Every structure is written in C-alpha cells, then in structure tokens.
C-alpha cells in the first residue's frame, strides 16, 4: 500500500467519487408595489412518485401503505392497473408531492417505490396577469409574454456536482 499508494488511491477514489447533474432552478418574476417585492411566478421543487411493477408483489397493500402517509390523488384502481404492467419497469404514479415525502418514502422501504426530484412553475396569483406573464411549456421553456421574452435570463444554467459520496449515498461537501 505504501509502494503503490497512488494506484490504490485512484481505485478508492473511483468507488466513492460521483458526478451528478445539478439542474438550474428557473428564476422568479417579481413585481414591486413600492414597499415590497411580490413573486408572481416562481418554481416549486418536490417529488415525482414512480414505481417499478416488477418489484411490487402486492399492489393493494402498497397503495394502502402509501395512501396512509402521502397525499395521493391517484385512485386505487389506477394504481393497481399501473402496478400490474409487469413488462414495464417504470410507471409514474404521482406528480408534485411535497418535499417532506422523501423522508417518508425512505423510512417506509417499500420495494418498487421510488421518488425523483421534480420542478414545476407556480403562479401565486393564479390567472392574475396571465396574458402578460405567459407560461412555461412542457419542455420547461417560456411560452408567450414575459416567460418567453426573458427565457434566457429565467432559465439559468445547469451545472454538475463532482465530489465524494458515503456508502449510504450521501454527498460530502468540503
């Protein structure tokens, strides 16, 4: 280990060094009323709930467990239909779950149930100024109005995290 230390150091580094994409968070659109700033378009971050039907043995029980702890809008029949697609390893079950859902799903340890981080555009004023704001389309790009005109400024730039990770998958920052 002393004579070939660089060799072993490189092997160890390859086992715990990771490279992960860091998606840019779309910028806010803010109005100023003379006293305070008010966001009229912002981005929320939460979770997308997915399942791998090949890993789910009892869809009824899995649905009941998830419904006990998560605010699901999918019906039991629809969940069972998706969980029965055995040749399909990926089915989307629920969008826009709150950020706290990650801890719940991690603690439940339900085989075949996964979460992916998800971002979506949020307009606190609802339809207020919608004709001026425009909207963000399905591909994450501004459509019409301010959203389109300032697309380059609002979209930001994605990055990459390169660093170390623990055996449990936690990222280490130095």
């Amino acid at each position: 280990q002393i004579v070939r230390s660089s060799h072993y150091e490189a092997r160890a580094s390859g086992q715990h060094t990771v490279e992960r994409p860091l998606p840019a968070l779309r910028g806010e659109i803010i109005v100023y009323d003379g006293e305070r700033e008010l966001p009229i378009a912002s981005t929320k971050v939460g979770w997308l709930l997915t399942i791998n039907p090949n890993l789910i043995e009892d869809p009824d029980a899995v649905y009941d467990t998830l419904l006990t702890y998560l605010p699901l809008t999918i019906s039991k029949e629809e969940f069972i239909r998706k969980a029965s697609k055995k040749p399909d390893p990926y089915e989307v079950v629920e969008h826009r779950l709150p950020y706290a859902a990650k801890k719940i799903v991690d603690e439940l340890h339900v085989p075949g149930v996964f979460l992916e981080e998800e971002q979506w555009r949020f307009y606190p004023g609802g339809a207020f100024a919608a004709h001026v704001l425009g909207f963000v389309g399905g591909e994450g790009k501004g459509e019409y109005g301010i959203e389109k005109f300032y697309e380059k400024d609002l979209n930001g730039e994605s990055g990459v995290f390169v660093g170390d990770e623990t055996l449990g998958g936690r990222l280490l920052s130095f």
Side-chain angles (χ1 to χ4, degrees):
Q1 290 176 342
I2 295 172
V3 175
R4 298 182 61 200
S5 64
S6 59
H7 167 75
Y8 290 110
E9 186 177 336
R11 283 186 64 192
S13 177
Q15 292 177 2
H16 56 80
T17 299
V18 296
E19 189 172 304
R20 298 232 175 109
L22 296 174
L25 201 60
R26 190 168 181 86
E28 290 186 317
I29 299 174
I30 298 173
V31 295
Y32 182 69
D33 72 354
E35 295 179 19
R36 61 184 184 258
E37 294 180 347
L38 304 166
I40 58 173
S42 61
T43 300
K44 283 196 170 188
V45 179
W47 298 103
L48 172 70
L49 181 68
T50 64
I51 58 171
N52 180 341
N54 298 313
L55 302 176
I56 295 179
E57 293 178 16
D58 185 357
D60 262 332
V62 171
Y63 179 83
D64 291 340
T65 300
L66 294 175
L67 188 61
T68 302
Y69 299 100
L70 298 174
L72 299 181
T73 59
I74 188 172
S75 69
K76 189 172 199 172
E77 294 76 25
E78 180 67 11
F79 181 87
I80 291 171
R81 187 184 67 74
K82 289 184 176 206
S84 299
K85 293 182 175 181
K86 294 300 181 188
D88 188 357
Y90 182 86
E91 284 290 321
V92 173
V93 174
E94 194 78 40
H95 285 277
R96 300 180 180 184
L97 285 173
Y99 217 71
K102 176 73 169 150
K103 183 177 181 191
I104 293 167
V105 170
D106 285 349
E107 289 174 358
L108 289 174
H109 301 292
V110 180
V113 175
F114 306 96
L115 288 174
E116 298 173 23
E117 193 171 77
E118 178 179 47
Q119 298 179 11
W120 62 92
R121 201 62 166 160
F122 175 67
Y123 300 95
F128 171 74
H131 58 291
V132 175
L133 285 174
F135 61 93
V136 175
E139 295 191 18
K141 296 195 183 294
E143 303 285 337
Y144 306 103
I146 294 171
E147 292 279 17
K148 183 172 184 172
F149 187 81
Y150 290 103
E151 171 62 28
K152 185 177 178 191
D153 297 318
L154 290 169
N155 204 26
E157 288 186 36
S158 296
V160 176
F161 170 84
V162 177
D164 292 338
E165 166 178 74
T166 66
L167 193 56
R170 292 187 179 201
L171 299 177
L172 300 173
S173 60
F174 298 99

